[in-house]
Amino acid sequence: MIGKQLLRSATSVAANYRAACRARSTNEFYSKICIVIEESDESLFWIEMLSDAQIVKHEMLTNLLQESEEILKIMVSIRNKYKQFIK
């Protein structure tokens, strides 16, 4: 069940980022990036759950956790940069 949730949120990150890149306006881009952030955070949550519940050994998830955190930070940075253009 956790794996299925992780798959859903992770693929949503990719799909919404792609949609953001094809946005027709700054407002649409900003909205999609906000969704990417939500889904990135949810993906990070499910990865942490896999570790905390000892479903997957923490050592096997270390790189994935780090990459997920970096993606989230990058997306937050992008959102913050575009926030000034939203009315």
Side-chain angles (χ1 to χ4, degrees):
M1 174 122 165
I2 293 175
K4 188 181 240 184
Q5 291 292 81
L6 175 57
L7 179 64
R8 290 179 68 186
S9 61
T11 54
S12 181
V13 170
N16 282 291
Y17 180 74
R18 182 176 174 147
C21 290
R22 289 168 168 66
R24 294 174 298 250
S25 68
T26 303
N27 286 347
E28 185 179 355
F29 176 83
Y30 183 82
S31 176
K32 293 294 182 184
I33 288 297
C34 288
I35 295 169
V36 169
I37 290 169
E38 289 176 25
E39 296 296 334
S40 294
D41 188 52
E42 182 179 339
S43 296
L44 186 57
F45 170 78
W46 291 119
I47 296 166
E48 290 169 350
M49 288 295 294
L50 286 171
S51 178
D52 293 347
Q54 298 178 350
I55 295 169
V56 178
K57 290 181 181 179
H58 182 75
E59 299 79 38
M60 294 183 70
L61 296 171
T62 302
N63 289 339
L64 188 56
L65 280 165
Q66 185 178 17
E67 292 286 330
S68 297
E69 289 170 356
E70 288 176 15
I71 289 170
L72 183 56
K73 288 176 185 177
I74 291 166
M75 292 302 120
V76 168
S77 177
I78 290 170
R79 180 189 62 190
N80 291 344
K81 186 174 184 173
Y82 277 84
K83 193 178 243 181
Q84 64 184 327
F85 300 114
I86 304 305
K87 298 174 184 167

